[in-house]
Structures are given as structure tokens and as C-alpha cells.
Amino acid sequence: GAMGDSGAFGLHLEMVDQVRGDRAVVVGLVTRMPRSERERIGDAVPVADGLVARARALARQLSRVDRVIDEARERVASSGGARTPSELEEMETRRGEIAAELSAIPESMRDLRVALERCQALGVSGARTDLEVAVAAARTRTRGASGEEAV
């Protein structure tokens, strides 16, 4: 539920919600297309689902890392360095990587949505390239840095 989400996603809930909102628009656009057009758009909906899953996974991860970093900082402050600064730096670096990956997802979802809006206006053949580019780009974002699928 929404309450659990704010706990799991922390400050990153807004980004997850934005991605979910755009996914709903994508699904709506695809649903309203004539079947003949729908058959030509490929994986737009599964890819949109993958983006939401990836956003959720990254937001959860980021929330956890945020907590660990906060606790580590507190320990360093109270003990004068219980954790080595290099350990904290490593965590900060990891945090930056996760945050960068997460922040790219809303843009990817928006591109997918815009491409589908164009398909609706121009027909799939008129916006085919836009859609293929958006789907391909979004697909790469559904996987982690090491190439694994988000579950």
C-alpha cells in the first residue's frame, strides 16, 4: 500500500510515483489503439512495466543506502571515527551510482510516453522510429549495471 511505499522508497517516492503515472498513460494509449496498430508497437507495455519494477528496486536500494550512510555518519561523529572515512566514501560513491541510475528512469518513461502519443497522432508508421528508439532505450534502463533484469 501507499503507506508502506513511503517507508520503502523514502524521499524517492515522488520519482517512483511519476514513473507509475506515466506507465498508466502508456497503458491507456496502447489500450485505445486499434488492434492492427497495437500489434505493431512491440514491447511498449512490458518495457514500461520493467521501468516501474526497476524504479521501485532502485528507490528501495537507495533508501537503504541512505539509512546506512546516515547511521555511519552518526557513528563517526559520536566516536570520532568508528568507520573509516574510506568506507563511508565507498558508500557515498555507491549511493551516487544508484541515484544516477534511478534519475534516468523517469526521462526514459517520458520518452516512451511521448513516442506513443506521437503514434496516436500520426499512426504507428508515422512515428515508428521514435517508438523503436524509445523502447530500445527504455529496455536498457530496465536492467542493472551488470545486465541483470530487475525483478
Side-chain angles (χ1 to χ4, degrees):
M3 284 303 290
D5 284 354
S6 62
F9 304 138
L11 304 168
H12 317 293
L13 179 61
E14 203 174 311
M15 205 173 275
V16 173
D17 280 343
Q18 188 186 336
V19 172
R20 279 186 183 140
D22 274 340
R23 178 207 167 268
V25 174
V26 163
V27 171
L29 287 164
V30 171
T31 306
R32 286 194 298 275
M33 281 180 177
R35 179 170 292 139
S36 57
E37 295 273 279
R38 217 167 31 221
E39 282 164 3
R40 299 169 62 198
I41 61 156
D43 294 340
V45 172
V47 165
D49 291 343
L51 284 176
V52 171
R54 190 73 195 150
R56 288 172 57 97
L58 289 166
R60 259 198 302 272
Q61 232 177 320
L62 201 50
S63 235
R64 273 199 299 272
V65 174
D66 284 341
R67 272 197 300 276
V68 173
I69 288 174
D70 286 346
E71 286 162 15
R73 281 206 193 109
E74 279 166 29
R75 269 201 301 280
V76 170
S78 63
S79 69
R83 270 181 190 268
T84 60
S86 70
E87 226 178 313
L88 199 49
E89 271 168 38
E90 273 169 38
M91 283 191 279
E92 296 273 13
T93 303
R94 182 71 191 115
R95 189 205 182 281
E97 288 164 2
I98 300 167
E101 198 186 332
L102 177 59
S103 66
I105 290 181
E107 190 183 341
S108 221
M109 185 71 95
R110 206 166 30 247
D111 290 347
L112 187 59
R113 172 188 161 171
V114 166
L116 282 164
E117 284 166 350
R118 236 172 251 154
C119 286
Q120 190 187 37
L122 308 172
V124 174
S125 46
R128 189 83 190 239
T129 311
D130 287 336
L131 183 63
E132 281 167 5
V133 168
V135 168
R139 188 178 285 117
T140 64
R141 296 253 171 257
T142 63
R143 299 184 183 88
S146 58
E148 89 283 3
E149 292 282 342
V151 181

